[in-house]
Amino acid sequence: MDINLNDLLRHYRSNPYEEHEIRAPHTGVVKFRAEEGQQTFGPSGKWLHKPGTLLFLLERENNPKRITASFNGEVAGIRHELEGCFVEAGTLLLTIRHRLSKEEIIDRILTEVLSIFPAPQRARYYLPPETASQMDKKAEPSIFLKPGDDAIIMSLMKRDTMLKYEGTPGIIYKVYFHSGDMVERDAPLLGICPPDNLKYVQKVIQRIKNEWEE
Amino acid sequence: MKKEKILIANRGEIAIRIMMACEDLGCDYIVVYTHEDRESLHVRRAREKGPGKRTYRIASYKDPNEIFAVADQAGATAIHPGYGFFSENFRFARRATMRTRPITFIGPRWEVIRDLGSKINTKKVAKSLGIPVIPGSDSPIYSEIEAEALAEELFLQQREQGIRAPSVLVKASAGGGGMGIEEVQHLDTFRRVYRRIQNYAKRQFGDEGVLIEQCLRDYQHIEVQLLCDRHGTVTHFGTRNCTIQSTGRQKRVEVAPGFDPEVWDYSFDSLRVLKDITGHSVNLAREVGYDSAGTWEWVVTRDGRPYLLEVNTRIQVENEISACISRIRGREDTPVNLIREQIRTALGEKLGFTQKDIYFEGTSIELRIVAEDVKRGFAPWCGTITRFEFPQRPWARLYSHVPADKPYNIPTEYDPNLALAIIWGKDTGEAVERAGEFLLGSNIEGHNAKGEPVITNLAYLYDRLDDVLRF
Amino acid sequence: MTDTLHKHIADSGQFLSQLASRITYLIDIIGDGSWFDLEKLLEEVQQVRNAIFDLPEKELFKRMLMLEDRISILEDRAAREITPARMVNIVRSVQRFTLQDILENVYDSFTELGGEEDCNIDPAIVVARATISRRVKKRIHKHQVMVIGHEKGMGEEYRNGGCAKPWGNDKALRYMKVAETEGIPIHFLIFTPGSYPIEDFPGAAQQIARNIYAMCKLEVPTVSFISEGGSGGAEAIGLADFRLMASHGYYSVISPEGAAAIEGKIREGGKVPRELVEKCARQLKMTARDNLGLGTIDRIVHEPPLGARKDDYDFFRRLRFEMIRATDEVVLRTKSFRTFRAYALKKQIAKDYGSSDTFDVHIPWRLSEKETERLLENRSRKYRSMGQGYTELKKESLIDLHKLRDKTRETITRTYYEIKYGLLKPHKKNVQKVLEEVTGEGAAFLAKITEPVKAAVDFLSGPDGEQRLLSDENQHTSIFSREWEQYVSPLANEDRTVTCPNAAKYGCMDLWVPDLYGEFCGVCPTCGHHFPLEYQWYLQNLFDRGSVKEFNRHIVSGNPLKFEGLDARLNRDMQRTGRRSGIITFKASVLGVKIVVAMLYSNFRSGTVGSAEGEKFLRACDLARTRRRPFLAYIHTTGGIRIQEGTLGVIQMPRCTMAVREYVDSGGLYIVVYDNNSYAGPVASFLGCSPYQVGIRSSRIGFAGPRVIRETTGQDVPPDYHSARNALRRGHIQGIWDRRDFRKNLHDALMTMGGPNLYYK
């Protein structure tokens, strides 16, 4: 059960970065607006209503769309050869080197601590409406799952299937996806924490909070 | 026609068949695909065709903006929508025609798509031409009294026809695809159901209009294939029987022609019925100025009454079985290809033949091979296909986007259709026999994430061959 | 001996601290401590104060006298150089008198109701039952009054500087009703820079609207006194039978800083140049003298040259005299003619407050039923005519003719409808009155007046003066004009796509503009977001074809205060829109139901309301009343009161609300539909008072925009703060309509709310 937190922290400390590939969300003519090495910021403001740093314009059918950064980081690897060119959907345009925040470190380390309910297929996933509304109401994790309970709706080939929970009974401590997202096979969907393990998890979180400097 | 460049706005086997039709016509083409479909044969085939860029990756097949952006970029002059996606979307066709750089939409004029896209409108026009339609309202009803009076009349009519368990359907007028439909078996319960559907319609579609029609249960699903050009030529390519369907009303086995009195005894004059409905279909096509390939869908009840259901203003999956049994006098050495003809007419060419040049020969069967679990409500199966083998026969054609030379992951975003097989026989008996032989010779292997073997509907299709053209 | 010395020294200390406060007051007024080295002077005073025990007495006195001399000279100078911006500073000075001082010094005794300092639903609003007494020939008469006012509570944070919260204004309204029940006059004392602009229930704008609506017909005499009259906040307790104003107060549509920020297009948080503030203060015509000239107040209460402070007892005596005199006048005007004249004579003698504060007669303030009726008539007349002289008509030479014709026509129409609906029989007297009124207008129409019914019919059947709307609008062609016979927005004529603002949330695909603005009526088919459409779309799609008949086109937006730069902007908007005001008033029908419509639209000065707009609204409302038709206010957009018209704009709030109130009281069905952006004054008065307010989807409704909220409250608000959904959630509106269902919903509303006559009664 015990994890080697020191090792994990050391691992992240040695390389607290993640490279995010920014691809064209759809076809269009690209015009870069960010520069190599530029600092980017994700959405800000109390309600995250201020868009992040402008990365590039993608114009399709006379509609120049502003594509902004969704997280903080540093711009690298701008593919300048594509400037002013028509690109296909999914074309790699640049990367953002993102330094993991304390919350993200906690999320990542928790996947080692919590019991993970992974995606059985590459598919779209939704939380059952009751679960989602319960989560909205309560700030603290409180929804208890035991094997056989309805856990998640998987939308596959236009059909919705209710997935039953299998694994250690416990509380949904962490939801790793946004409702309606396409999730790759085996990627974590839910992080479950058995009740008698709660204290330990909180201790881990506390330790990371104390020991991780940003 | 060399200058034409056709954008194929679809995926799977239809994309491949359109490509083949283009090659036949000597037109250049381009294809679009999504990340999920990158391994699909439709992409590979286009890529391997020769010099020049022919494949474009897009975000979604359903986003018209992607299609038009690629069309402009690649300099496409026409768009073939296939079936599904944009094939019956009059707004897409309208945009293609009206944008600054117009692009030919391969299909009927957009006004025709719009007008025939409305079932109510189609019913109205049909009625005015004396074409039989399912008894019921031909415009949305908003008044309860009016609705109840009509329901009563429908029950009465059915009793007079000797129908033992009469019933009516109450539908949300703005609905579709099985949403907001309920059956009423007793007049007493009608009002309650009516109100429920009305509320549903108001909530769901913002329009509380309701349609009421007789509920038909015991019928055959017959189609008439039409082909018209932009110069007023109207022809038909006979009938098809599409009664064999999955529980989700998905067609699985289709047969042309629609009935065969040589094999089965029908309680009505089946050839007469087929003749009538083709006649009606042709009349309606002339009335609306139909100018492309299209399918008129009919139901025929056990007592031989036909009713027009709707018009599909597109090329259909099963078009090829009609082509397979059709011959054009003087051109017997070129097989009929309706997709090719559809492209030709859209580009403004004349058909170059008339109805009297068309004659029919034999029976053709289409088998839709799908990775699905028929025992569990036709649940789609997903996983990896490792072996994909079918018999090579002169009387069989197979269309598939699944590569046979390497493992293939079925994309989870779309239906798990694997292949289409088109079988021809000189008569129904031979066709059924050959279809059976073909299915028995087919070999599909694969496994899912848990290592369980692939589940297909091959056995189901084989079982259903007994029902071909049987009422 | 030592005792007296100490006393002397103590007195000196007090004297010096008075000197210090006089200097700080001067700094407050000038707003600049370097003015004649005021700050250094203050330092000197402090030095003397610190040296009070060290300096020889003689030296001390000498220096004190010298200092006082210098201060007096500066005070004189400051008094001579008072500018409008300095008046604002006077009003904001912590040394200025507050409501508390008035309660203590103007009234004899008082009991505060519903509040004890910070233990109060809204400490910015103080309500007290008070007595005020007058001396008549050595006898003292006491009057009971309800005092409602703002307490700036200089230095008391919790008072919020006199910015009333919505529930504070609700409290004010509650006690107005109490006064009405008890039959005692109300004295409104206005000390507010503006209302606290939050939307929490009951909502800043909605509550002010309710107050104004109620005050229109409060059945007791009301007198208001303005020291600081900040726009909507002032109007919330400002609609009174008699309006007094402190000579050094201000009454304005907006603070000079606010106006300067708008005029100078200053970015949020940016510094507003002082010269611009000065200029705006001057241009806004916010002083007592300006307002008296404009007719927005009735009388000025004079203050000492540098304004009244907390210890100006003479001023308080004067104010008591003026409050009583004003209440007397209101009461007397409800009496028969002879008594009033008798009073007027006496007034000649006691023309103004001199040294004496005694009265010659005692006048009880309780009104009979008949007198109450007259009180309300007087109030109605007062507000209906307020600032009317500033409305511009199209052609100078036609002014009189138009006025005459309009008024006569209105009278005739009214008579026709009164006869048609059988209303005249029980009111024979009205006929008399009508005839009298018309006779006064001019002999030219006399022949018609003798046969009012016939004339009315002639007039109704004739097309005279009614113009087809849009006849002069630019025709445009649409790619769909053949397909869709109805109007299609010119926005649809572009081959491009736009992104729905909700795309990230609901996955809406980019929309092809011809589809969006054509078939989709500007609505995203995926999420229902409404893209703005031009007002012409509504004219064409909401009403029956050809039924729209515009009237009062000759009433034109002007520049009554000669605000610099406004003329050019008005001209530009007139050129651009082909219209002459920010409102369109017309008759129309919806699925056969005839209605009268007033439409504020965005393209002309952002749909702001000035004199012309107010006048047109009022006339439309009156037309709906005389014709007995439902009245729709469709707000395509309104940015509030047009600030360049100053208080002439502000008074459109009570004016138009008066018209609405009388329309609704007569049985009219008044529906308000908000679209796009509807903010500030209009919502806080003649719109917000409607019993039926509806928002079109994706519209925003509120009192002040996010920037103003941030700047006044220091708090940020979420981006959807003013959304129609939140307005509905807070109870500000009664429903949300989809644009595509507008016509049907409107018709349904007319049929269900309007009853068989489409009019309540």
Side-chain angles (χ1 to χ4, degrees):
Chain A
M1 193 64 233
D2 226 2
I3 53 157
N4 195 334
L5 195 57
N6 288 335
D7 280 1
L8 282 169
L9 280 173
R10 204 174 302 123
H11 164 75
Y12 283 116
R13 247 184 235 123
S14 70
N15 180 20
Y17 293 99
E18 259 181 14
E19 304 277 326
H20 286 270
E21 295 185 333
I22 308 297
R23 296 173 177 275
H26 57 68
T27 61
V29 173
V30 69
K31 282 180 188 139
F32 291 102
R33 285 291 176 270
E35 279 165 33
E36 201 76 26
Q38 188 186 330
Q39 285 295 314
T40 65
F41 300 95
S44 60
K46 196 169 168 185
W47 299 273
L48 296 179
H49 56 291
K50 291 176 194 154
T53 312
L54 179 62
L55 298 176
F56 55 88
L57 299 176
L58 190 58
E59 180 166 349
R60 180 183 66 177
E61 291 289 274
N62 297 319
N63 179 14
K65 204 175 285 183
R66 298 166 65 87
I67 309 294
T68 54
S70 45
F71 37 76
N72 302 350
E74 195 185 304
V75 175
I78 297 179
R79 294 185 60 195
H80 288 291
E81 72 275 17
L82 296 175
E83 174 72 25
C85 293
F86 179 90
V87 295
E88 294 174 42
T91 308
L92 175 64
L93 296 175
L94 53 91
T95 50
I96 291 181
R97 190 157 187 255
H98 167 67
R99 190 177 203 281
L100 293 170
S101 69
K102 193 177 278 182
E103 275 63 43
E104 287 165 323
I105 296 288
I106 292 174
D107 278 1
R108 275 160 187 71
I109 292 181
L110 278 188
T111 56
E112 314 271 335
V113 180
L114 299 173
S115 105
I116 295 297
F117 184 74
Q121 290 288 351
R122 177 182 153 85
R124 293 189 187 281
Y125 291 89
Y126 301 86
L127 283 175
E130 314 84 68
T131 315
S133 71
Q134 253 178 294
M135 287 203 173
D136 283 346
K137 272 181 212 144
K138 288 178 188 156
E140 293 292 303
S142 61
I143 299 163
F144 193 86
L145 279 186
K146 55 184 187 309
D149 282 355
D150 290 344
I152 267 179
I153 298 168
M154 174 173 75
S155 179
L156 188 67
M157 288 174 175
K158 301 181 194 167
R159 289 195 187 201
D160 288 351
T161 322
M162 181 65 84
L163 297 182
K164 302 280 181 199
Y165 180 67
E166 303 160 18
T168 2
I171 288 164
I172 302 181
Y173 202 85
K174 178 81 200 163
V175 179
Y176 285 96
F177 67 102
H178 292 282
S179 245
D181 274 1
M182 174 67 78
V183 181
E184 295 296 332
R185 200 172 116 189
D186 292 336
L189 290 173
L190 299 177
I192 307 291
C193 177
D196 45 355
N197 215 10
L198 264 177
K199 279 231 171 73
Y200 175 68
V201 168
Q202 269 145 11
K203 217 173 80 191
V204 169
I205 293 175
Q206 201 48 50
R207 257 196 73 192
I208 303 170
K209 275 187 179 165
N210 292 340
E211 293 182 22
W212 185 265
E213 305 95 29
E214 279 186 290
Chain B
M1 207 173 277
K2 284 265 155 54
K3 270 177 274 166
E4 298 288 349
K5 196 174 200 179
I6 293 169
L7 185 150
I8 300 165
N10 215 306
R11 62 184 295 277
E13 53 75 24
I14 188 65
I16 291 170
R17 282 197 281 169
I18 296 167
M19 264 179 242
M20 294 163 80
C22 288
E23 284 163 7
D24 232 14
L25 286 167
C27 298
D28 201 358
Y29 60 81
I30 52 166
V31 301
V32 290
Y33 68 101
T34 60
H35 176 75
E36 312 273 307
D37 265 349
R38 63 196 180 282
E39 296 297 333
S40 167
L41 272 191
H42 91 269
V43 187
R44 199 204 287 184
R45 192 184 164 117
R47 210 170 264 152
E48 287 167 358
K49 161 130 169 99
K53 182 168 175 59
R54 279 197 189 75
T55 60
Y56 289 86
R57 186 152 72 170
I58 57 172
S60 160
Y61 294 111
K62 290 180 187 163
D63 188 342
N65 306 299
E66 289 285 82
I67 308 294
F68 287 117
V70 169
D72 286 351
Q73 173 66 21
T77 55
I79 295 176
H80 198 303
Y83 50 73
F85 298 135
F86 297 114
S87 58
E88 290 176 278
N89 185 326
F90 76 88
R91 291 188 190 100
F92 183 89
R94 183 171 70 190
R95 179 167 165 190
T97 329
M98 288 183 163
R99 62 207 299 277
T100 336
R101 182 181 164 272
I103 298 173
T104 307
F105 178 81
I106 299 177
R109 287 175 293 129
W110 67 266
E111 293 93 335
V112 174
I113 305 177
R114 183 190 58 191
D115 294 347
L116 292 179
S118 150
K119 279 197 192 188
I120 300 165
N121 189 50
T122 308
K123 212 167 167 181
K124 229 182 258 172
V125 180
K127 243 182 167 173
S128 74
L129 295 175
I131 298 171
V133 291
I134 296 177
S137 51
D138 53 8
S139 63
I141 298 179
Y142 293 92
S143 136
E144 192 171 282
I145 300 167
E146 203 184 315
E148 220 164 15
L150 181 61
E152 197 175 347
E153 195 189 311
L154 290 175
F155 273 109
L156 204 72
Q157 275 176 13
Q158 290 178 64
R159 262 188 215 103
E160 278 170 2
Q161 287 171 21
I163 295 170
R164 244 176 294 153
S167 70
V168 300
L169 286 180
V170 185
K171 300 179 177 179
S173 156
M179 300 275 284
I181 300 181
E182 261 191 77
E183 191 185 333
V184 177
Q185 281 158 335
H186 299 283
L187 191 57
D188 297 341
T189 57
F190 175 79
R191 183 176 293 208
R192 207 141 128 220
V193 174
Y194 172 82
R195 284 184 184 162
R196 190 155 56 222
I197 294 294
Q198 192 181 37
N199 284 337
Y200 174 84
K202 195 174 178 179
R203 215 171 47 238
Q204 208 68 25
F205 311 111
D207 174 21
E208 55 180 32
V210 163
L211 296 178
I212 294 157
E213 60 184 37
Q214 183 182 335
C215 176
L216 300 173
R217 250 170 289 157
D218 193 14
Y219 58 81
Q220 293 271 302
H221 190 115
I222 308 293
E223 294 175 348
V224 181
Q225 175 67 56
L226 268 80
L227 179 65
C228 314
D229 65 16
R230 302 224 155 138
H231 307 276
T233 320
V234 176
T235 63
H236 72 82
F237 280 77
T239 56
R240 296 187 286 259
N241 189 320
C242 308
T243 312
I244 300 175
Q245 300 184 353
S246 75
T247 45
R249 301 238 157 170
Q250 298 283 315
K251 294 168 188 168
R252 284 295 175 258
V253 179
E254 296 104 320
V255 196
F259 291 118
D260 188 353
E262 303 282 320
V263 181
W264 302 103
D265 277 334
Y266 301 105
S267 59
F268 51 89
D269 181 351
S270 61
L271 296 180
R272 167 95 240 153
V273 169
L274 293 181
K275 198 167 171 241
D276 283 351
I277 62 172
T278 22
H280 286 316
S281 302
V282 165
N283 282 348
L284 183 53
R286 281 192 208 284
E287 173 70 18
V288 299
Y290 201 80
D291 59 349
S292 182
T295 299
W296 267 241
E297 287 201 16
W298 295 78
V299 291
V300 177
T301 57
R302 188 165 289 281
D303 54 358
R305 287 168 199 265
Y307 300 107
L308 178 67
L309 262 190
E310 61 175 335
V311 177
N312 294 325
T313 56
R314 57 162 199 258
I315 195 80
Q316 280 187 295
V317 183
E318 61 272 26
N319 77 83
E320 196 157 325
I321 52 170
S322 296
C324 231
I325 60 161
S326 304
R327 307 284 180 267
I328 297 170
R329 239 175 282 279
R331 309 185 185 182
E332 276 85 353
D333 45 344
T334 348
V336 176
N337 183 335
L338 290 170
I339 298 174
R340 187 185 64 208
E341 298 306 305
Q342 183 198 25
I343 296 171
R344 271 198 329 117
T345 59
L347 297 176
E349 286 195 19
K350 289 186 174 171
L351 277 183
F353 53 82
T354 60
Q355 191 65 55
K356 61 179 193 307
D357 299 319
I358 301 166
Y359 64 97
F360 302 99
E361 199 174 64
T363 297
S364 180
I365 296 175
E366 176 178 85
L367 303 163
R368 298 198 190 188
I369 298 160
V370 183
E372 64 186 358
D373 190 347
V374 292
K375 292 189 193 94
R376 293 217 181 92
F378 295 80
W381 180 92
C382 60
T384 310
I385 302 290
T386 50
R387 195 181 192 113
F388 202 60
E389 291 170 353
F390 298 94
Q392 304 268 331
R393 299 285 186 278
W395 40 261
R397 280 180 231 155
L398 185 97
Y399 299 106
S400 176
H401 61 284
V402 178
D405 54 356
K406 58 178 186 180
Y408 175 77
N409 289 317
I410 301 176
T412 56
E413 282 280 88
Y414 314 105
D415 286 330
N417 296 344
L418 298 180
L420 276 188
I422 315 286
I423 313 290
W424 183 85
K426 64 179 189 304
D427 54 32
T428 304
E430 189 179 69
V432 169
E433 196 180 309
R434 285 173 169 179
E437 182 191 332
F438 185 87
L439 286 169
L440 289 175
S442 302
N443 188 7
I444 302 173
E445 285 172 21
H447 53 82
N448 66 9
K450 289 179 191 158
E452 296 157 348
V454 62
I455 302 173
T456 69
N457 65 347
L458 286 173
Y460 164 82
L461 294 175
Y462 188 84
D463 289 347
R464 293 305 302 262
L465 288 177
D466 292 345
D467 299 327
V468 161
L469 297 186
R470 174 154 75 177
F471 204 146
Chain C
M1 189 61 195
T2 47
D3 274 3
T4 25
L5 181 66
H6 276 293
K7 194 170 175 296
H8 271 259
I9 290 171
D11 284 350
S12 307
Q14 206 179 359
F15 185 72
L16 280 166
S17 80
Q18 273 166 13
L19 288 186
S21 83
R22 277 164 72 182
I23 299 170
T24 43
Y25 187 57
L26 273 180
I27 296 176
D28 282 353
I29 295 174
I30 308 296
D32 178 9
S34 63
W35 191 75
F36 287 98
D37 288 334
L38 279 172
E39 266 161 6
K40 280 192 191 136
L41 192 60
L42 187 59
E43 263 171 52
E44 273 180 56
V45 173
Q46 300 297 2
Q47 278 166 11
V48 177
R49 236 173 116 181
N50 293 341
I52 207 163
F53 294 101
D54 308 330
L55 286 170
E57 193 170 321
K58 214 172 168 185
E59 173 73 15
L60 180 69
F61 288 159
K62 203 178 124 196
R63 289 183 68 171
M64 285 198 312
L65 284 176
M66 265 172 60
L67 283 168
E68 206 218 344
D69 264 2
R70 281 168 69 189
I71 293 167
S72 299
I73 289 166
L74 289 178
E75 281 177 342
D76 285 348
R77 191 179 182 110
R80 281 198 308 275
E81 292 177 6
I82 283 186
T83 60
R86 288 180 182 169
M87 293 243 194
V88 175
N89 293 340
I90 288 176
V91 168
R92 290 178 188 163
S93 165
V94 286
Q95 297 188 33
R96 188 166 178 82
F97 63 94
T98 69
L99 179 58
Q100 190 64 27
D101 302 311
I102 291 179
L103 280 171
E104 281 169 8
N105 296 299
V106 171
Y107 298 91
D108 303 318
S109 60
F110 69 93
T111 306
E112 193 177 339
L113 302 170
E116 194 174 276
E117 290 167 356
D118 61 337
C119 176
N120 196 325
I121 184 154
D122 183 3
I125 288 271
V126 164
V127 179
R129 267 298 241 111
T131 57
I132 189 164
S133 60
R134 77 165 102 206
R135 287 220 318 267
V136 181
K137 292 169 192 138
K138 307 228 159 135
R139 267 198 66 190
I140 290 186
H141 299 271
K142 284 186 189 286
H143 295 280
Q144 301 274 330
V145 291
M146 183 71 80
V147 178
I148 300 175
H150 305 101
E151 177 54 60
K152 284 181 80 74
M154 302 301 191
E156 293 169 329
E157 276 291 310
Y158 60 86
R159 301 275 189 194
N160 240 325
C163 292
K165 301 242 167 80
W167 40 91
N169 282 326
D170 170 65
K171 170 170 114 180
L173 178 59
R174 190 145 35 91
Y175 287 104
M176 288 180 211
K177 303 267 182 194
V178 172
E180 191 174 43
T181 311
E182 297 180 345
I184 56 169
I186 307 173
H187 286 172
F188 293 117
L189 299 162
I190 299 166
F191 291 86
T192 186
S195 260
Y196 201 72
I198 46 170
E199 295 298 330
D200 304 55
F201 183 83
Q206 295 284 321
Q207 187 58 44
I208 295 173
R210 259 171 248 175
N211 284 20
I212 297 176
Y213 188 78
M215 284 185 285
C216 284
K217 297 294 166 192
L218 268 184
E219 296 187 342
V220 287
T222 54
V223 173
S224 61
F225 167 77
I226 302 172
S227 163
E228 181 174 22
S231 196
E235 294 312 313
I237 58 167
L239 192 156
D241 297 306
F242 205 97
R243 294 176 139 198
L244 294 167
M245 184 167 169
S247 61
H248 288 60
Y250 78 83
Y251 174 30
S252 175
V253 64
I254 189 171
S255 71
E257 291 85 355
I262 296 171
E263 283 294 303
K265 299 204 166 64
I266 309 291
R267 291 188 57 175
E268 193 170 343
K271 184 95 182 69
V272 186
R274 176 127 58 120
E275 304 74 54
L276 193 57
V277 176
E278 284 272 356
K279 187 175 155 192
C280 283
R282 214 165 39 240
Q283 296 218 63
L284 285 168
K285 301 278 186 283
M286 55 208 289
T287 67
R289 197 188 297 177
D290 290 331
N291 275 295
L292 189 66
L294 294 171
T296 51
I297 60 162
D298 298 298
R299 189 176 292 150
I300 297 175
V301 181
H302 288 284
E303 296 180 52
L306 279 178
R309 273 167 272 181
K310 289 178 163 302
D311 50 4
D312 277 315
Y313 300 105
D314 191 41
F315 169 73
F316 296 133
R317 265 194 299 280
R318 183 192 292 266
L319 181 57
R320 179 200 296 152
F321 174 81
E322 292 289 3
M323 291 303 288
I324 295 172
R325 183 155 75 126
T327 318
D328 280 354
E329 277 193 50
V330 173
V331 170
L332 283 170
R333 281 194 198 133
T334 68
K335 311 281 179 193
S336 70
F337 198 57
R338 206 180 302 147
T339 331
F340 181 66
R341 197 154 46 183
Y343 175 77
L345 271 172
K346 287 204 176 69
K347 209 175 67 171
Q348 286 294 97
I349 304 160
K351 195 172 181 180
D352 201 358
Y353 172 79
S355 53
S356 133
D357 58 351
T358 59
F359 286 81
D360 298 331
V361 284
H362 169 57
I363 296 158
W365 288 349
R366 204 165 281 276
L367 302 185
S368 72
E369 206 173 303
K370 203 85 240 150
E371 287 162 349
T372 308
E373 221 171 86
R374 235 173 270 141
L375 173 82
L376 298 184
E377 275 169 29
N378 289 344
R379 194 184 295 156
S380 167
R381 201 173 306 126
K382 175 189 177 72
Y383 280 94
R384 279 170 166 277
S385 60
M386 199 179 271
Q388 211 174 13
Y390 290 93
T391 311
E392 258 184 63
L393 303 180
K394 191 159 62 179
K395 287 176 190 157
E396 295 289 336
S397 56
L398 283 179
I399 291 179
D400 294 332
L401 197 66
H402 268 302
K403 257 190 195 162
L404 199 63
R405 196 187 61 183
D406 283 0
K407 200 152 188 196
T408 315
R409 212 160 73 178
E410 199 181 295
T411 314
I412 296 166
T413 321
R414 189 166 68 218
T415 316
Y416 167 72
Y417 278 93
E418 281 174 348
I419 292 166
K420 185 176 164 191
Y421 292 102
L423 296 174
L424 219 51
K425 269 172 241 156
H427 300 291
K428 281 257 166 61
K429 247 191 276 170
N430 279 0
V431 185
Q432 204 79 33
K433 223 173 90 191
V434 165
L435 284 174
E436 274 169 15
E437 266 177 44
V438 179
T439 325
E441 303 295 345
F445 292 88
L446 212 60
K448 281 183 180 173
I449 293 149
T450 49
E451 284 176 296
V453 180
K454 183 181 170 292
V457 171
D458 286 350
F459 153 67
L460 284 172
S461 52
D464 173 30
E466 297 186 348
Q467 285 144 302
R468 271 275 341 252
L469 204 67
L470 291 167
S471 54
D472 55 345
E473 304 274 323
N474 289 338
Q475 288 293 313
H476 67 273
T477 47
S478 159
I479 58 167
F480 294 142
S481 55
R482 277 171 304 141
E483 278 311 314
W484 276 276
E485 278 197 0
Q486 87 244 43
Y487 170 90
V488 171
S489 169
L491 292 169
N493 284 325
E494 264 181 288
D495 180 14
R496 66 183 180 98
T497 62
V498 289
T499 306
C500 176
N502 297 329
K505 197 169 168 195
Y506 298 105
C508 319
M509 276 182 229
D510 285 4
L511 295 155
W512 194 45
V513 156
D515 281 340
L516 173 63
Y517 290 110
E519 199 195 340
F520 299 158
C521 304
V523 178
C524 170
T526 310
C527 71
H529 173 80
H530 282 41
F531 288 79
L533 279 179
E534 69 284 358
Y535 73 90
Q536 289 93 337
W537 188 91
Y538 293 91
L539 284 177
Q540 295 288 347
N541 286 287
L542 196 50
F543 308 106
D544 300 344
R545 217 142 232 290
S547 74
V548 174
K549 302 275 193 298
E550 191 178 355
F551 55 83
N552 282 333
R553 279 179 77 109
H554 65 284
I555 302 174
V556 175
S557 291
N559 187 1
L561 303 187
K562 302 282 166 271
F563 200 98
E564 206 181 298
L566 179 60
D567 287 314
R569 281 180 258 176
L570 284 173
N571 275 333
R572 195 196 55 205
D573 285 359
M574 286 182 190
Q575 295 283 316
R576 213 178 43 187
T577 62
R579 301 199 158 272
R580 294 159 192 263
S581 70
I583 192 169
I584 310 167
T585 55
F586 52 93
K587 290 175 263 178
S589 61
V590 177
L591 297 168
V593 180
K594 288 179 174 174
I595 60 173
V596 174
V597 187
M599 185 187 259
L600 285 167
Y601 65 103
S602 62
N603 318 45
F604 194 98
R605 303 272 78 228
S606 307
T608 50
V609 172
S611 308
E613 287 77 13
E615 183 66 21
K616 285 179 80 173
F617 183 91
L618 183 138
R619 290 194 193 189
C621 192
D622 284 354
L623 184 78
R625 180 158 57 99
T626 49
R627 299 241 168 149
R628 305 184 68 74
R629 284 191 189 161
F631 182 43
L632 167 73
Y634 167 70
I635 311 306
H636 182 253
T637 274
T638 180
I641 300 296
R642 191 168 302 150
I643 59 165
Q644 295 86 353
E645 290 199 27
T647 45
L648 285 176
V650 175
I651 55 157
Q652 303 310 321
M653 295 171 64
R655 280 191 84 210
C656 296
T657 311
M658 185 64 80
V660 164
R661 174 76 192 250
E662 286 168 3
Y663 169 72
V664 173
D665 282 355
S666 78
L669 172 60
Y670 177 43
I671 298 175
V672 173
V673 180
Y674 301 106
D675 203 345
N676 301 315
N677 297 298
S678 306
Y679 285 111
V683 183
S685 56
F686 55 90
L687 303 175
C689 67
S690 166
Y692 303 112
Q693 300 174 61
V694 174
I696 297 293
R697 253 175 102 166
S698 308
S699 61
R700 282 165 297 274
I701 303 140
F703 185 60
R707 173 175 173 172
V708 173
I709 296 179
R710 275 194 295 274
E711 285 173 350
T712 49
T713 72
Q715 299 212 324
D716 209 355
V717 293
D720 66 344
Y721 189 63
H722 294 104
S723 71
R725 272 188 72 79
N726 279 328
L728 184 65
R729 190 170 284 133
R730 297 179 188 115
H732 297 350
I733 56 174
Q734 281 68 54
I736 296 178
W737 288 352
D738 191 297
R739 181 189 286 148
R740 295 164 292 189
D741 302 330
F742 195 169
R743 186 176 158 86
K744 185 178 165 289
N745 286 343
L746 180 60
H747 182 254
D748 285 355
L750 289 169
M751 299 312 283
T752 47
M753 268 97 91
N757 302 322
L758 297 163
Y759 212 75
Y760 288 133
K761 289 174 190 166

